[in-house]
Amino acid sequence: MSTKPRIFSGAQPTGNLHLGNYLGAVRNWVRLQADYECIYCVVDLHAITVAQDPAELSRATREVAAAYLAAGVDATTSIVFNQARVAAHAELAWIFNCVARLGWLNRMTQFKEKAGKNRENASTGLYVYPNLMAADILAYRATHVPVGEDQKQHIELARDIAQKFNKDFGVDLFPLPEPVIQAEAARVMSLRDGTKKMSKSDPSDMSRINLTDSPDLIAQKIRRATTDPLPLPDTVEGLSGRAEATNLVTIYAGLADQEVADVVAKFAGANFSTFKEALTQLAIDTLAPITGEMRRLTADPGYIDGVLRDGAARARALAAPVLADVHKAVGLLTD
Ligand code: TRP
């Protein structure tokens, strides 16, 4: 058995994965494989907390798995699978529904945002979403969870659930998982509005660079990205108050794997047309191998399904003894 600490993370199969997901999450996941035993899930059960078109859900589930692989997740050493294939997630989530308190869930800011004004019409699944997320992590006794800043509150809830379960049943079954915060995720903003996060749900496709975009489309989106009339500053401080300029420089730094200060130094005083040309070239060079591999993989859904099935079998084997311990602790009779 591996002695490396165990990571669990996941992304929802809703819409396309974009540059923010790649720089903020998936690229990091690839790197974490060196030091952790990694379980990377496509969280389809989380996706259905809001309405989904069934055919689109299946397509997006395979596509997100393809993105993990294309970016460099190694499905032989890491585990890649979709959540619905491993029943332990839903089973443990039910038990956690009975551990978590209404008061805890009422404090979740993401529910308030996602439910919006029409709260009465939100699904009950959306409300208990964080309990399922806790089950995802704790079914494997994972100790480290790479997530963006926006998910930190959910990891804290998972810790509260782990702690209360251990205390209520007098066991030491669950570790308290730690968030591994991926700062970049929060910093990749919309290409149309530098104050809004780059998002799959933005109605304008021009606001984001998808991992499925062709080089021509990437070039077009960067050319049309909102900027201000000034040239690039020669210090990082000079970016303050310039959301769009900050965003494009941040994206360049992310893609080049450099510090923002180094990028500012390189382009000090340049106008945006020069900078955008360099950014376009860099984005295409960096993303082309990934998008090409994604296209190759999504053309062969049988292969992706094989990877997901194999990952699910290995995930089931890891979760089974944990669920057995949980059933025993609670007093549920199972085989
Ligand atoms: N809620 C996460 C998001 O929207 C996705 C997710 C579901 C997740 N289960 C998880 C992330 C477990 C980390 C660990 O980004």
Side-chain angles (χ1 to χ4, degrees):
M1 249 207 31
S2 169
T3 53
K4 291 176 180 173
R6 186 176 286 170
I7 272 190
F8 185 98
S9 198
Q12 294 193 44
T14 46
N16 291 324
L17 279 192
H18 55 68
L19 187 63
N21 302 124
Y22 174 65
L23 291 179
V26 183
R27 185 174 67 177
N28 234 339
W29 295 3
V30 172
R31 295 176 178 173
L32 290 163
Q33 293 179 114
D35 301 312
Y36 294 88
E37 183 193 350
C38 298
I39 306 174
Y40 294 132
C41 187
V42 183
V43 290
D44 44 13
L45 297 176
H46 277 104
I48 62 166
T49 55
V50 297
Q52 296 297 331
D53 171 67
E56 171 55 22
L57 179 66
S58 309
R59 192 202 62 77
T61 300
R62 293 191 180 103
E63 186 174 277
V64 170
Y68 294 1
L69 303 178
V73 170
D74 178 351
T76 58
T77 50
S78 300
I79 293 181
V80 174
F81 73 108
N82 62 303
Q83 196 181 24
R85 274 204 164 90
V86 180
H89 293 249
E91 271 183 63
L92 187 57
W94 176 258
I95 293 172
F96 288 170
N97 286 344
C98 306
V99 174
R101 306 288 94 184
L102 281 180
W104 299 359
L105 290 172
N106 286 339
R107 284 196 285 277
M108 295 295 112
T109 54
Q110 188 170 299
F111 174 77
K112 289 179 201 165
E113 273 162 34
K114 286 203 183 172
K117 290 199 185 73
N118 201 356
R119 232 182 110 146
E120 296 290 307
N121 198 39
S123 74
T124 51
L126 188 66
Y127 188 67
V128 293
Y129 174 118
N131 296 345
L132 176 60
M133 187 162 157
D136 296 341
I137 300 162
L138 295 171
Y140 305 97
R141 292 193 173 107
T143 52
H144 294 76
V145 188
V147 282
E149 192 65 39
D150 63 327
Q151 296 296 315
K152 216 171 133 185
Q153 195 184 31
H154 289 161
I155 308 299
E156 269 150 29
L157 186 90
R159 292 169 65 90
D160 290 342
I161 289 174
Q163 204 159 24
K164 182 163 165 59
F165 184 99
N166 288 346
K167 185 167 151 285
D168 286 356
F169 297 104
V171 289
D172 189 17
L173 217 160
F174 293 121
L176 305 189
E178 305 268 355
V180 181
I181 296 299
Q182 308 174 127
E184 214 127 28
R187 289 195 276 124
V188 178
M189 311 303 272
S190 158
L191 298 178
R192 310 299 289 174
D193 175 352
T195 63
K196 281 199 333 209
K197 244 177 104 166
M198 186 177 282
S199 159
K200 320 184 198 197
S201 53
D202 192 313
S204 167
D205 192 58
M206 294 303 280
S207 70
R208 62 185 161 260
I209 293 173
N210 303 304
L211 292 184
T212 46
D213 288 350
S214 67
D216 281 352
L217 190 52
I218 293 176
Q220 197 188 4
K221 286 178 176 178
I222 294 176
R223 209 176 318 115
R224 297 228 199 124
T226 312
T227 53
D228 57 41
L230 301 173
L232 288 158
D234 43 22
T235 61
V236 175
E237 295 71 49
L239 284 171
S240 76
R242 299 177 64 186
E244 279 80 20
T246 303
N247 187 34
L248 295 181
V249 169
T250 304
I251 290 174
Y252 189 104
L255 286 166
D257 221 351
Q258 286 174 354
E259 296 297 324
V260 166
D262 296 328
V263 179
V264 168
K266 183 169 171 175
F267 291 98
N271 55 31
F272 273 106
S273 63
T274 311
F275 176 70
K276 279 182 167 182
E277 248 169 64
L279 178 59
T280 300
Q281 204 50 51
L282 175 65
I284 291 172
D285 290 349
T286 314
L287 298 177
I290 299 169
T291 53
E293 180 66 1
M294 258 186 85
R295 233 167 279 131
R296 197 182 69 77
L297 290 167
T298 45
D300 188 357
Y303 174 77
I304 298 287
D305 287 352
V307 168
L308 294 174
R309 217 174 283 123
D310 170 71
R314 286 154 58 209
R316 252 179 244 125
L318 292 179
V322 180
L323 268 285
D325 286 352
V326 168
H327 291 153
K328 191 159 160 253
V330 178
L332 299 167
L333 304 179
T334 55
D335 294 317

